[in-house]
Amino acid sequence: MNKVMDLDKVMEKVHDGATIMVGGFLGVGAPLKCIEKLVERQVKDLTLIAVVNSYPGGGFDLAPLFKNKQVKKFITAHTGTCPEALEIYKSGELEVEFYPMGTWIEKIRAGGAGLGGVLTPIGIGTLVEEGKQKLTINGKEYLLELPLRADFAFIKGYRADRLGNVQYRGVSINSNPILAIAADYTVAEVNEIVEVGDIEPERVGTPGVFVKAVIQGYTLAEHQEIFKDLWVRTGRLS
């Protein structure tokens, strides 16, 4: 099955009130074209699941979704890097659900694996344990963290073939492979679409069985230029 699709066709499936996962870490490894299209379509009342928020200082990757007030709930491990999100949080227009980063990723892994939850000692004796079931195993207390899933996951890879097998590049892999398994509809945005067999099996980071659509994103050269410009503008590269 050829899973290469037009981005506009994919976005027709995304509806108001949807729960979406977005890969990336401070913009690195983020599906930029998918995010831009979500902003353009003005889909609203989203529950957004991402490991952290936007590039420090805002104005990039996830930030426009918060600026446009398209997100009603944010499930994350950290949100302080995005001024746009902080503004609507302070005004009471955004609900934020925090988890320690390791707990956040394990809840999603559990959702993808069909498990009923994950046990962790992280948060015992703190605000994190409020409202959660505690279990004692071999004399040690654990919190039961329930699984996280989404209607859609937007991930970013380096290359993908037409069957949806995704290869990652460098640290941009971050949260993407875990998110890919925990959504009803996973969209892989990539720098390059190749033929089946062009990606060596051992380099496949997300098997095509988890991917519903492959989207042509920015080329690698375009992607590098976007980040070079960003880093220069924000004083992180001279």
Side-chain angles (χ1 to χ4, degrees):
M1 180 188 298
N2 186 352
K3 296 184 178 180
V4 177
M5 292 183 63
D6 178 76
L7 180 54
D8 286 311
K9 287 291 184 183
V10 169
M11 286 300 174
E12 289 175 0
K13 302 176 184 296
V14 184
H15 53 84
D16 290 350
T19 297
I20 65 172
M21 293 177 175
V22 179
F25 193 100
L26 302 177
V28 176
L32 297 180
K33 279 206 170 182
C34 287
I35 295 170
E36 290 165 4
K37 188 59 69 172
L38 286 169
V39 172
E40 179 186 314
R41 290 193 66 247
Q42 292 289 303
V43 60
K44 60 183 185 298
D45 294 329
L46 298 171
T47 294
L48 172 60
I49 302 173
V51 63
V52 294
N53 212 315
S54 72
Y55 180 82
F60 186 69
D61 70 294
L62 296 175
L65 289 171
F66 292 101
K67 183 178 180 179
N68 289 352
K69 300 181 180 180
Q70 293 173 250
V71 181
K72 70 172 183 179
K73 183 176 182 179
F74 187 38
I75 302 175
T76 187
H78 190 275
T79 192
T81 58
C82 181
E84 294 89 341
L86 294 178
E87 283 300 312
I88 59 173
Y89 175 71
K90 289 188 292 184
S91 67
E93 298 171 271
L94 176 67
E95 177 186 354
V96 179
E97 194 172 297
F98 283 111
Y99 295 98
M101 196 171 292
T103 301
W104 181 91
I105 203 75
E106 290 303 324
K107 285 167 68 74
I108 294 171
R109 195 193 311 272
L115 302 178
V118 60
L119 296 176
T120 175
I122 305 301
I124 291 288
T126 73
L127 291 173
V128 173
E129 74 172 34
E130 290 185 3
K132 294 176 183 174
Q133 184 179 350
K134 287 200 289 187
L135 294 88
T136 301
I137 301 173
N138 294 329
K140 185 174 182 177
E141 285 190 321
Y142 294 86
L143 297 179
L144 173 62
E145 291 284 0
L146 300 179
L148 272 177
R149 285 190 59 86
D151 301 314
F152 301 91
F154 297 97
I155 66 169
K156 168 65 177 62
Y158 167 44
R159 301 196 300 169
D161 65 27
R162 297 181 182 277
L163 294 181
N165 297 300
V166 180
Q167 176 185 353
Y168 298 99
R169 183 175 185 270
V171 297
S172 64
I173 186 172
N174 53 65
S175 63
N176 285 292
I178 301 302
L179 304 191
I181 70 173
D184 297 334
Y185 197 97
T186 294
V187 180
E189 177 183 322
V190 295
N191 301 118
E192 183 182 355
I193 298 172
V194 298
E195 296 301 324
V196 175
D198 285 354
I199 302 175
E200 298 172 359
E202 62 269 25
R203 295 187 181 276
V204 172
T206 292
V209 67
F210 295 112
V211 176
K212 293 291 198 298
V214 174
I215 297 301
Q216 177 64 59
Y218 293 105
T219 66
L220 181 59
E222 291 170 336
H223 210 89
Q224 291 171 332
E225 192 61 32
I226 287 169
F227 275 89
K228 179 181 177 181
D229 177 67
L230 175 68
W231 293 337
V232 169
R233 283 189 293 105
T234 56
R236 289 173 172 83
L237 185 67
S238 58

